Amino acid sequence: KYLKTKGIYKDSVRIEESVGRGFVDLVENLKLEGPEAEQVVRRSVQPLLDAGVDTIVLGCTHYPFLIDVISKVAGPGIRIIDPAPAVARHLVDVLREKNISQTDENPERELITSGSDKTVKALYDTCKNQV
């Protein structure tokens, strides 16, 4: 999806890319704020700021957990686009389309992970009221 979207806009906007090196480790170790998180985020965001970007689009499912740190490092003049809510809404649409959604207001959820159960539970608790 990213490459397709990038191709559509490449002639009308300048696109700077930067990998969030260390972001996944921060999230999976539940280091979502503080000096260490800021230092790791700054290493990837500063080159974008130096290049004059006005918008940062988060491109990984881990990155929204760091949105507060990214916003702090980027500063008030930088727009942050988090595609996660749109992805979640699309998932709900697909589940309904396939007739596999739950309509209960408090549906039971089963979380399956190849990572740490503790980490997934903590991240779920962090964001469960945002979707």
Side-chain angles (χ1 to χ4, degrees), residues 4-92:
K4 181 179 179 182
T5 303
K6 177 181 168 183
I8 292 170
Y9 294 102
K10 68 180 170 111
D11 294 331
S12 59
V13 297
R14 190 182 84 223
I15 298 172
E16 297 286 335
E17 297 176 340
S18 179
V19 174
R21 297 200 192 289
F23 287 22
V24 170
D25 288 336
L26 286 173
V27 172
E28 291 184 357
N29 288 294
L30 302 175
K31 296 178 181 179
L32 308 179
E33 58 188 5
E36 182 181 353
E38 288 178 30
Q39 180 183 18
V40 170
V41 167
R42 185 170 305 283
R43 277 196 304 258
S44 292
V45 170
Q46 193 62 53
L48 297 173
L49 300 175
D50 293 344
V53 302
D54 59 6
T55 304
I56 296 174
V57 179
L58 306 182
C60 172
T61 57
H62 286 75
Y63 295 3
F65 292 103
L66 295 169
I67 198 164
D68 290 341
V69 175
I70 295 168
S71 294
K72 181 178 181 180
V73 168
I78 305 298
R79 182 175 165 206
I80 310 292
I81 297 177
D82 175 9
V87 171
R89 286 190 300 273
H90 180 68
L91 173 61
V92 170

Side-chain angles (χ1 to χ4, degrees), residues 106-128:
N106 293 304
E108 183 177 318
R109 290 176 174 82
E110 179 180 9
L111 304 176
I112 300 171
T113 180
S114 60
S116 160
D117 291 352
K118 175 186 169 197
T119 300
V120 170
K121 170 82 169 91
L123 293 173
Y124 174 76
D125 289 342
T126 299
C127 70
K128 68 182 172 189

